[in-house]
Amino acid sequence: MTTLAALLLLGGAAVLVLHSSMTGYIEAHGLQACAAGRELADGCGTPQARADFRKGWSGLLMAGKVVVLALPVVLGVFCAAPLFAREIEHGTHVLAFTQSVSRFQWMITKVAVLLLPSAVVVVVLQFLVERWASAAGDLGSVVGNPFVFLSFDTTGPMPVAHLLFSFAAGAFLGVVARRSLMAMATTFGALIALRVLVSGVDMKFLPVQRMISHDPARSALSGSDELVVVRNGYLGPDGRDVPSSAVDLSACAPRPGVPEPDMGACYAQSGVTGQFADVIQGTAAPGLQLAEFAVFGFAAVLLLVGTAWALQRQH
């Protein structure tokens, strides 16, 4: 508890100081319009001022996001994993089992006493870091595509979802491993492996939208950063996809002393009438976050049930 309180106070104070210093820099160098997303508007400072801001603050903003990303894993490894493993390792769980409180109540109480303040730390630091990053606006490094892991996994309900699962996984593996160090190492490995696995499959369940450009020399993408390109290529006269390897434009390459070729005719000779891009819209990110929160929450409940069952088998 003391460690969590110190983490909250020191971490919160550090973010607040950095936030205040950054906003002071923005005001002093006239970058308010840049932070509001109007980089080409009047009052957006000079190109050098914008470059200096990104050089000085982008790394710090990213570090804040990394802290929010790593915090649930750290708490799961160092707080939840030894929670029951230490008791079993030293045999003190036997004394607890002789009390009038049931093993299930004992387990829930120990988890809740540590999980609730941990959740407060995660939520408060997440809020402060998001507020700090939003003050940088488009000047910050963590903007644009909401599916980038530093944005997706550190906003909305995701840090709490990861904390719930980390605690449940740590508690379960602690009871199974019965040794603190083994439980901590196993929990860390399991959480990292799960993050990698989820990041590779979660977006496969999102709807894909096809964007088309009827000009074969023009990309089908609208230019928005809030898009994830699943697949792109060319379209034939019948509207079917044309593999990029089947499009040969070498004959139309610019050559010295030769008039610039008609690219439209070149594409037509290659059987190309347009371009396409299969994309996932950034507006799908909040829905995916809620879905993952539900999955992680359900998995946490199952792991806690498994922890209670494993404790029942202890002497």
Side-chain angles (χ1 to χ4, degrees):
M1 295 292 290
T2 304
T3 303
L4 290 174
L7 179 62
L8 178 61
L9 291 175
L10 294 177
V15 175
L16 289 174
V17 169
L18 289 170
H19 185 180
S20 176
S21 178
M22 187 191 72
T23 54
Y25 184 98
I26 290 175
E27 293 176 0
H29 291 80
L31 298 174
Q32 296 93 329
C34 304
R38 302 190 302 275
E39 187 164 323
L40 300 179
D42 295 336
C44 188
T46 64
Q48 185 61 45
R50 297 195 293 269
D52 290 342
F53 177 89
R54 293 189 173 102
K55 182 179 179 180
W57 288 99
S58 292
L60 291 172
L61 288 166
M62 187 172 293
K65 289 284 188 177
V66 170
V67 169
V68 176
L69 179 71
L71 193 55
V73 175
V74 172
L75 292 175
V77 170
F78 290 97
C79 295
L83 185 61
F84 298 114
R86 187 182 295 113
E87 297 267 6
I88 298 172
E89 187 175 7
H90 295 108
T92 54
H93 68 293
V94 177
L95 177 62
F97 290 169
T98 61
Q99 306 301 314
S100 59
V101 179
S102 68
R103 298 186 183 190
F104 179 76
Q105 290 176 315
W106 175 72
M107 180 203 77
I108 291 298
T109 300
K110 286 183 69 67
V111 170
V113 166
L114 198 56
L115 177 59
L116 291 178
S118 297
V120 171
V121 172
V122 169
V123 170
V124 171
L125 290 182
Q126 176 194 357
F127 170 77
L128 293 176
V129 170
E130 281 190 12
R131 184 168 168 265
W132 175 32
S134 65
D138 285 352
L139 284 172
S141 60
V142 190
V143 295
N145 195 320
F147 292 104
V148 174
F149 75 99
L150 272 182
S151 295
F152 185 84
D153 284 341
T154 60
T155 58
M158 296 311 298
V160 174
H162 291 149
L163 178 68
L164 292 175
F165 183 83
S166 297
F167 254 75
F172 176 75
L173 293 173
V175 174
V176 173
R178 302 188 181 189
R179 296 291 184 273
S180 296
L181 288 178
M182 184 181 295
M184 292 166 67
T186 306
T187 300
F188 178 77
L191 293 176
I192 296 300
L194 181 70
R195 283 281 184 92
V196 174
L197 177 64
V198 171
S199 64
V201 302
D202 54 359
M203 292 181 60
K204 296 184 182 299
F205 298 97
L206 293 177
V208 175
Q209 176 184 349
R210 170 157 291 196
M211 303 177 68
I212 295 177
S213 169
H214 295 289
D215 181 356
R218 182 180 179 184
S219 172
L221 299 175
S222 63
S224 173
D225 291 332
E226 297 192 357
L227 294 174
V228 175
V229 181
V230 178
R231 194 167 63 95
N232 62 346
Y234 296 101
L235 294 173
D238 56 357
R240 295 184 180 180
D241 302 352
V242 176
S244 299
S245 58
V247 180
D248 183 13
L249 301 177
S250 58
C252 297
R255 299 176 184 177
V258 178
E260 186 174 347
D262 183 355
M263 295 304 297
C266 292
Y267 280 110
Q269 292 175 4
S270 301
V272 173
T273 60
Q275 293 193 36
F276 76 92
D278 293 334
V279 301
I280 298 175
Q281 296 286 350
T283 53
L288 182 60
Q289 287 180 327
L290 290 177
E292 286 198 16
F293 180 83
V295 171
F296 277 115
F298 181 70
V301 171
L302 291 180
L303 285 169
L304 289 177
V305 171
T307 303
W309 175 81
L311 284 173
Q312 292 293 334
R313 298 174 62 86
Q314 302 293 335
H315 297 293

